[in-house]
Amino acid sequence: MEGLSQSFRALGDPTRLRILRLLAEAPLNVSELVSLVGVAQSSVSHHLGKLKGLDLIREERQAGFTFYSLDVDEKDPRWPLVQLARQADDEAGDLARLNDLLRQREDRQALNEKLLEPGQSWFLWARALASLLPPLNVVDFGCGTGVLTVEMARWAKRVTAIDANKDVLEQARDRADREEVRNVTFLCEDLHRLSLPDRKYDLVVISQSLHHVEAPPRVLQEAARILVPGGRIVLMELMPHEEKWVQQRLGHRHLGFEPEALKKVLEESGFRQVQLTTHARDGASPFRVFLLTGVRR
Ligand SMILES: C[S@@+](CC[C@H](N)C(=O)[O-])C[C@H]1O[C@@H](n2cnc3c(N)ncnc32)[C@H](O)[C@@H]1O
């Protein structure tokens, strides 16, 4: 009874009641409470001290700030008191300001994630890590407009970029010129039968090109043929999907591949230590990618 009476007495102060109501809605730190309630920081700290002393609120450290939140639930005899505070008129507009503050918090978080997560920093990390590679002789199978080709040319000794489509090859050439990349040889050839010599290259990269070719095993055998023993293959492909429109509109011949089945084809084509990595689904896209890497026997 004594505890209950103390709580009633403590909540006789309107500012304290407003603070309690705000903390019942969301965990908040002192400066947020100062901006919401509009009283001095020393006064907010004093009220928080009182509420904490009565075990009405608790504090928790998060990202360098102390956050306060309600520490009372339905089983507590003081719960009806908290409910009355929550239902009282919001004459000072505390709840509207709280909504604004919570929205800004979310925006800040989303912006941070956008800036730091996959976006720019992953791209730079990929470039930084690639710069640690030795100077390799790379072949890009189905280079398309050359985005990856030019990126690889930054660290490779030489990139041989192959595509059967003259127009996209021209665009890849323009891209390399624009980026002042000079160590790329462009070849207009069919990946099923390449003019490249046996056992000469260190790395074959096949990024999203295999679903375009008529006979994937034949193309993988060509990759094995031109690689030095111990040379590597990196293959990025789509998981099986049912988006049939890509056949007409994008010229896909295969609606993705079963990763385990493609892994087996790689092993049968002369690769060992074949490793599979599957990427998580990316947003609303119906396409999921996976990566296979292997070493030429
Ligand atoms: C989706 S693009 C891949 C572009 C690039 N590798 C990338 O990841 O951004 C597939 C490319 O493979 C090429 N291609 C398809 N079949 C081919 C074949 N048999 N021989 C050579 N290139 C082929 C297409 O012309 C197309 O440019």
Side-chain angles (χ1 to χ4, degrees), residues 67 104 119 163 178 240 252 261 269 290:
F67 278 84
Q104 277 174 30
D163 207 289
R178 271 197 315 276
H252 291 201
S269 307
F290 64 91

Side-chain angles (χ1 to χ4, degrees), residues 142-144 148 163-165 168 189-192 207-209 212-213:
C143 64
L148 197 56
D163 207 289
N165 181 332
V168 294
E189 290 197 2
D190 183 349
L191 295 170
H192 297 88
S207 169
Q208 309 232 22
S209 304
H212 283 270
V213 307

